[in-house]
Amino acid sequence: MSKEIKEQPDAENPEELLGLKLTAPEKWAAGIPAVTAAMADIVQEAGFVRGMKGLFKMNKKDGFDCSGCAWPDPDDDRSPIAEYCENGAKALAEEATTKKLTADFFAQNSVADLAKLNDYEIGKKGRIAQPVYLPKGGTHYEPISWDEAFKKIAAKLNSLASPNEAAFYTSGRTSNEASFTYQLFIREFGTNNMPDCSNMCHESTSFGLAEAIGIGKGTVILNDFYDTDAIVVIGQNPGTNHPRMLTALQKAKENGAQIIAVNPLHEAGLMGFKNPQTVRGVLGINTHLADLYLQVKINGDMALLKAIEKLLYKAELENPGKVFDQEFIASNTVGYEAFLNHLNQFNLDHLAQECGVPLTQIEQAADMLKDKSRIIICWAMGVTQHKNGVATVKEIVNLAILKGAIGKPGSGLCPVRGHSNVQGNRTMMIFDKPKPQQLDKLKEVFGFEPPREHGYDVVESIQAMHEGKLKVFFAMGGNFLSATPDTTYTAEAMRKLEMSVHVSTKLNRGHLVHGDEALILPTLSRSDKDIIDGKAQFISCENSMGVVQMSKGMLEPISKDLMNENQIICKLAKATLGSRSVISWDKYEKSYDAVRDDIAKVIPGFDDYNSKVRIPGGFYLPNGPRQGKFNSKDYGDRIGFNIADLPEHHMAADEYRMTTIRSHDQFNTTIYGLDDRYRGIHNERRVIFMNEEDIQKSGFKSGEQVDLYNYHGGIERVARLFVVVPYGIPKGNTATYYPEANVLIPIDSVAENSNTPTSKLVFIKVKKHQEPLITAVWSS
Ligand SMILES: Nc1nc2c(c(=O)[nH]1)N[C@H]1C(S)=C(S)[C@@H](COP(=O)(O)OP(=O)(O)OC[C@H]3O[C@@H](n4cnc5c(=O)[nH]c(N)nc54)[C@H](O)[C@@H]3O)O[C@H]1N2
Ligand SMILES: Nc1nc2c(c(=O)[nH]1)N[C@H]1C(S)=C(S)[C@@H](COP(=O)(O)OP(=O)(O)OC[C@H]3O[C@@H](n4cnc5c(=O)[nH]c(N)nc54)[C@H](O)[C@@H]3O)O[C@H]1N2
Ligand code: SF4
Ligand SMILES: [Mo]
């Protein structure tokens, strides 16, 4: 294998193929194979006893919250046996592993050597067992004591010309308590530079919904799924990314709901489900899920939604008051007439062509919705990670308000969140654009003056690093390098830092592309026992439906040298701020209750936090729109119809649309395995899904080795060595896995208003694979 001459270890996965095997894509999800996959993983990583002990307590009311996705747990009774899915079990296997990285490991493996491994291999090395430090010019991470580590980071932070030369990232697993103390420290230090994974995820939702209805969160609860007439799932792959949602969809179907799926790929988990926790499922009996599957083109959603709205309008004209909820529209909305005029400007055939769905199928969708009023619309990354992500979110609101499908049982907006506490992070004020009222409250309660100027989000942070404006990057979890776009540019940016610090559970590529000095601080994971002063503590998280509940880890940590995230923050705050601080870090460090008492004073909905969080199953946060009380940016207690044009795509004749997706065997940049079982991909990640006709037209064949190019802004970005896989994807559309294809996503290709990277649409050219011209290997 050859490599270009590089001064630095590679920032990407090695360009090597592992040996792809293809099977036919599945038509249903879960069932026995899921149980088998889950068990194999957990037993291999954690051993039988430890693994089973963990699984037994996962998502139980007295147990710990699954660190996987943000799908909620049932409000009422939970299964006495298993309240988790295959991917929850894999998430546990990942952190409950007994393999650990000690000083020896880092002494034996240089940073450059580690960078030659692929993400799967890096992750499988085990949990980080002690703090490590990479000195300037160093080749190996070395052990460092916690005290020394805090001193070094504090000295560096205090040496900066301005607090705005540091940025503090958050990934979405950090608990409410640690998120609160983290933002408090950062703001007392003096900056709002708080990029977070939300910026790359549901930011378009948070922005769009906050403006439209007054809260940047969804409006439904789990029970709404059990009593609804229709569920529309747009740009989401629940079979892989929110597997227990399939149980909710199954129950909805049993109770008479119809399901419409909108997706460029036929995802197994949207088509059918064999519930492994029911006798029927174990016997292999499949619940058919989607009644209608609309295979849109990538980013065809806006055109599709408008076409459905237009057909509903036609039906409303034929049957006034029977299709649209005129009462709701009259008393809760603004701009109905203008919106209808806007719809009138579109031609149905044109809309059908733009979205790629045959008009007859769009008519079927409109028919299914027209007589129903209890409708839930779910969405995820297929909607948000587009240039017009915010506008599409608002178009979803348009459809909901035409039908009066919001603020009443069995109806509403359901953005399905990613990370298990990503929603809670934002509630706890992890945000680069805090509201003035929130900052006033901090000042009132704590007595320091928080910075008012907005900070950098993810994309702005990378650009600021590149321009030399940021000197220190501190990450609470995550894998910033690999999760962000334009990997080559981002790696250049990170290498310009004076110091990079990662608080992490597992080693990842983000630790291998670093500033002059770098530190990795190992922390407890969700399932780990968290003992302070001899007492077992618990943290709390907020799920996708606004339920806050406790989470108590119970597995023995793999090392005595791990520290919980809150303690790391408190100790760093003391080391950095010293007597400048007005906050009782000692108190917070010893007790989450003390943190919760102060959260109760600052964050609305958390009064009496310490008692409410102890109620088994937790408590719901207030949500006005769920009760039909709206608060939009422009129209007060009414929701304005949003008027948005169709997106325009200017692409060359030989360019394809490319979306990036998750395989079934990964959690973001953590690669659990090399298969994507439901899509029939085995033992490979460097694949490009292409339409059969496109493959033929380009003179390729199945299995062909290709390179992928993007030329946005006149810069050539290349992802080398991918294998062509013929797949049922619309013509002109392609899909690749994230993070292997992130190198192709231009840093300045972002969603309007939310600044989210457009990970679901970049334009690429596909060419026959060529070995790079320069073929020397760098030396370390
Ligand atoms: N096992 C597992 N669980 C996870 C994660 C994980 O990586 N692994 N990640 C977590 C996180 S952080 C998040 S945000 C969520 C992500 O959950 P999802 O949003 O479900 O994840 P993705 O795979 O990014 O893509 C979603 C779907 O969008 C479709 N799609 C792509 N482009 C378009 C488009 O233009 N229009 C439409 N309508 N559909 C499109 C894809 O085919 C895919 O089915 O999952 C969370 N849960
Ligand atoms: N092309 C493309 N890019 C994308 C996306 C996409 O769909 N396509 N999706 C985007 C989305 S939705 C998201 S959310 C981001 C995800 O971006 P991130 O949240 O930054 O990435 P993760 O892969 O979830 O982070 C994994 C790392 O977190 C650390 N970790 C795990 N658990 C804990 C813990 O409990 N505490 C601490 N301190 N560390 C922990 C481990 O070291 C692990 O390696 O990626 C985004 N990037
Ligand atoms: S659905 Fe999500 S939260 Fe629930 S067990 Fe599965 S991965 Fe964990
Ligand atoms: Mo996400």
Side-chain angles (χ1 to χ4, degrees):
M1 204 202 79
S2 53
K3 259 189 192 298
E4 290 181 60
I5 292 177
K6 289 191 177 105
E7 286 175 5
Q8 299 270 16
D10 210 321
E12 287 168 57
N13 272 283
E15 285 153 15
E16 63 189 12
L17 298 178
L18 303 174
L20 167 68
K21 290 189 191 65
L22 290 179
T23 54
E26 301 283 356
K27 294 196 167 57
W28 49 267
I32 292 296
V35 180
T36 325
M39 290 306 154
D41 240 44
I42 196 121
V43 171
Q44 191 186 340
E45 290 297 322
F48 186 79
V49 175
R50 186 174 160 88
M52 290 306 132
K53 192 173 164 194
L55 281 181
F56 187 70
K57 282 289 177 191
M58 192 174 214
N59 294 328
K60 295 288 175 59
K61 287 182 179 169
D62 63 344
F64 65 93
D65 185 36
C66 169
S67 64
C69 77
W71 187 253
D73 303 304
D75 282 339
D76 35 40
D77 291 341
R78 300 204 183 157
S79 158
I81 319 156
E83 199 54 79
Y84 56 84
C85 70
E86 174 190 353
N87 277 332
K90 288 191 206 156
L92 177 65
E94 195 66 28
E95 59 185 47
T97 182
T98 47
K99 288 182 244 158
K100 53 183 166 184
L101 310 186
T102 54
D104 284 351
F105 173 85
F106 289 104
Q108 284 157 14
N109 296 282
S110 70
V111 172
D113 285 338
L114 292 170
K116 288 180 199 156
L117 304 176
N118 63 38
D119 289 344
Y120 173 66
E121 294 164 329
I122 295 176
K124 284 287 172 259
K125 294 288 173 199
R127 287 281 297 268
I128 303 161
Q130 68 194 94
V132 286
Y133 170 62
L134 183 70
K136 191 167 178 172
T139 52
H140 293 67
Y141 275 101
E142 304 162 359
I144 185 172
S145 72
W146 278 103
D147 276 353
E148 253 329 284
F150 291 129
K151 266 193 215 147
K152 275 195 194 303
I153 305 166
K156 181 53 80 178
L157 287 173
N158 284 328
S159 75
L160 298 177
S162 148
N164 290 329
E165 288 183 348
F168 298 84
Y169 177 65
T170 316
S171 169
R173 279 190 182 169
T174 298
S175 65
N176 281 355
E177 293 77 2
S179 301
F180 186 78
T181 52
Y182 189 40
Q183 63 80 33
L184 204 56
F185 160 58
I186 300 164
R187 294 201 162 99
E188 198 184 25
F189 173 66
T191 183
N192 283 314
N193 287 344
M194 270 178 246
D196 66 356
C197 69
S198 257
N199 298 150
M200 299 181 265
C201 184
H202 263 294
E203 199 69 82
S204 302
T205 299
S206 304
F207 187 94
L209 291 187
E211 283 203 346
I213 63 171
I215 188 167
K217 301 182 182 182
T219 71
V220 302
I221 64 172
L222 193 50
N223 285 344
D224 288 321
F225 278 75
Y226 306 153
D227 208 7
T228 183
D229 301 321
I231 301 171
V232 188
V233 185
I234 314 180
Q236 191 203 345
N237 180 19
T240 284
N241 298 314
H242 308 93
R244 278 193 309 159
M245 179 171 166
L246 301 194
T247 312
L249 293 179
Q250 184 184 40
K251 215 159 157 183
K253 287 283 297 211
E254 283 164 7
N255 294 345
Q258 286 189 301
I259 297 175
I260 303 177
V262 180
N263 200 306
L265 301 179
H266 280 108
E267 304 286 25
L270 288 166
M271 295 191 286
F273 180 42
K274 294 181 191 172
N275 189 341
Q277 289 172 12
T278 62
V279 175
R280 279 170 59 86
V282 170
L283 291 176
I285 300 170
N286 182 2
T287 303
H288 183 68
L289 291 178
D291 297 274
L292 183 64
Y293 210 110
L294 305 177
Q295 197 179 16
V296 277
K297 286 185 199 165
I298 295 169
N299 200 22
D301 306 275
M302 178 66 95
L304 175 71
L305 287 163
K306 285 197 192 293
I308 293 175
E309 288 159 354
K310 218 175 143 68
L311 287 163
L312 290 174
Y313 177 34
K314 208 168 124 206
E316 168 71 11
L317 288 175
E318 286 160 9
N319 234 329
K322 292 283 187 307
V323 176
F324 288 166
D325 186 339
Q326 294 296 349
E327 207 178 295
F328 181 90
I329 293 170
S331 44
N332 291 294
T333 71
V334 175
Y336 176 58
E337 292 298 329
F339 181 66
L340 297 181
N341 289 337
H342 164 76
L343 279 186
N344 275 334
Q345 294 162 19
F346 294 96
N347 169 288
L348 271 176
D349 291 318
H350 176 66
L351 290 173
Q353 200 188 346
E354 284 297 298
C355 70
V357 179
L359 190 52
T360 48
Q361 287 182 16
I362 309 177
E363 282 165 350
Q364 270 176 280
D367 272 348
M368 278 166 68
L369 296 177
K370 86 176 177 226
D371 302 323
K372 300 185 170 67
S373 68
R374 296 183 311 166
I375 300 168
I376 295 174
I377 312 180
C378 305
W379 71 92
M381 298 303 101
V383 167
T384 61
Q385 296 173 332
H386 281 293
K387 189 154 191 288
N388 63 336
V390 173
T392 310
V393 167
K394 290 186 175 178
E395 200 65 42
I396 289 173
V397 176
N398 286 344
L399 175 60
I401 58 180
L402 284 172
K403 296 292 295 171
I406 179 170
K408 64 179 188 202
S411 309
L413 306 170
C414 184
V416 186
R417 299 275 161 180
H419 271 293
S420 53
N421 198 37
V422 62
Q423 191 159 309
N425 295 169
R426 198 46 78 76
T427 307
M428 291 297 126
M429 292 176 64
I430 299 286
F431 195 21
D432 52 284
K433 298 177 186 65
K435 287 199 203 118
Q437 305 88 295
Q438 292 179 302
L439 297 175
D440 291 345
K441 197 73 194 172
L442 281 188
K443 184 176 177 192
E444 180 195 316
V445 173
F446 295 102
F448 71 92
E449 186 60 65
R452 300 276 160 171
E453 175 191 3
H454 286 175
Y456 296 133
D457 63 15
V458 162
V459 167
E460 291 162 345
S461 292
I462 299 168
Q463 289 164 329
M465 280 179 210
H466 214 274
E467 289 163 22
K469 291 183 192 155
L470 276 178
K471 308 267 193 305
V472 177
F473 175 74
F474 184 101
M476 188 56 76
N479 180 352
F480 191 82
L481 169 81
S482 305
T484 52
D486 227 341
T487 317
T488 309
Y489 177 89
T490 300
E492 274 172 23
M494 295 193 78
R495 288 189 174 119
K496 290 186 183 176
L497 292 164
E498 290 178 12
M499 180 180 274
S500 49
V501 185
H502 286 87
V503 178
S504 305
T505 50
K506 302 281 294 265
L507 188 67
N508 65 49
R509 197 167 296 279
H511 306 135
L512 309 176
V513 172
H514 48 79
D516 293 341
E517 296 173 273
L519 292 110
I520 313 176
L521 308 179
T523 194
L524 294 179
S525 64
R526 210 48 85 59
S527 50
D528 286 333
K529 218 185 257 176
D530 191 351
I531 308 246
I532 303 169
D533 287 346
K535 268 184 33 205
Q537 306 268 327
F538 68 89
I539 50 112
S540 51
C541 296
E542 174 183 345
N543 65 34
S544 202
M545 292 178 185
V547 179
V548 177
Q549 64 175 323
M550 65 154 73
S551 171
K552 195 170 184 175
M554 29 58 66
L555 294 180
E556 209 49 58
I558 47 102
S559 155
K560 293 205 172 17
D561 248 343
L562 309 186
M563 203 180 272
N564 74 47
E565 293 183 336
N566 177 55
Q567 277 182 318
I568 295 176
I569 295 156
C570 293
K571 288 184 193 289
L572 180 61
K574 283 189 285 185
T576 310
L577 303 172
S579 57
R580 274 175 13 234
S581 181
V582 295
I583 288 156
S584 322
W585 300 107
D586 283 331
K587 188 179 73 177
Y588 287 163
E589 193 184 317
K590 291 210 171 63
S591 146
Y592 291 117
D593 275 353
V595 179
R596 284 187 285 263
D597 277 342
D598 284 352
I599 292 175
K601 292 180 200 155
V602 175
I603 315 275
F606 284 83
D607 30 277
D608 232 358
Y609 194 2
N610 266 316
S611 8
K612 285 195 292 193
V613 77
R614 287 175 160 83
I615 301 169
F619 63 99
Y620 276 93
L621 288 175
N623 185 314
R626 187 177 287 156
Q627 266 84 47
K629 293 193 195 88
F630 309 110
N631 177 22
S632 74
K633 177 171 162 263
D634 295 326
Y635 308 104
D637 60 1
R638 284 167 178 253
I639 307 173
F641 278 94
N642 191 57
I643 302 228
D645 283 329
L646 295 183
E648 285 178 24
H649 302 117
H650 304 284
M651 45 198 294
D654 59 347
E655 279 184 326
Y656 293 93
R657 298 181 196 204
M658 182 190 83
T659 189
T660 57
I661 51 176
R662 291 157 165 79
S663 81
H664 192 64
D665 270 3
Q666 75 183 84
F667 191 92
N668 299 336
T669 69
T670 299
I671 309 303
Y672 297 145
L674 299 168
D675 300 340
D676 191 6
R677 196 172 76 234
Y678 296 147
R679 299 193 185 107
I681 305 292
H682 306 270
N683 202 45
E684 190 54 82
R685 293 187 49 84
R686 301 183 77 84
V687 295
I688 174 163
F689 297 93
M690 289 182 81
N691 180 286
E692 196 112 35
E693 282 184 41
D694 287 335
I695 298 178
Q696 280 178 13
K697 210 174 64 194
S698 342
F700 297 145
K701 49 188 189 313
S702 170
E704 182 102 32
Q705 296 180 4
V706 294
D707 299 331
L708 317 178
Y709 292 82
N710 168 278
Y711 293 99
H712 176 90
I715 295 166
E716 181 181 274
R717 297 174 184 80
V718 54
R720 255 180 245 285
L721 199 54
F722 280 66
V723 181
V724 169
V725 171
Y727 207 79
I729 188 169
K731 270 188 280 182
N733 290 221
T734 65
T736 49
Y737 295 129
Y738 134 66
E740 283 77 0
N742 283 36
V743 66
L744 296 169
I745 303 169
I747 188 74
D748 57 347
S749 175
V750 290
E752 284 153 10
N753 296 309
S754 66
N755 218 29
T756 298
T758 62
S759 305
K760 289 291 180 275
L761 177 56
V762 292
F763 301 121
I764 58 159
K765 293 191 184 186
V766 184
K767 304 181 187 175
K768 249 184 188 319
H769 172 62
Q770 286 192 327
E771 288 293 313
L773 288 177
I774 314 165
T775 54
V777 179
W778 50 265
S779 54
S780 60

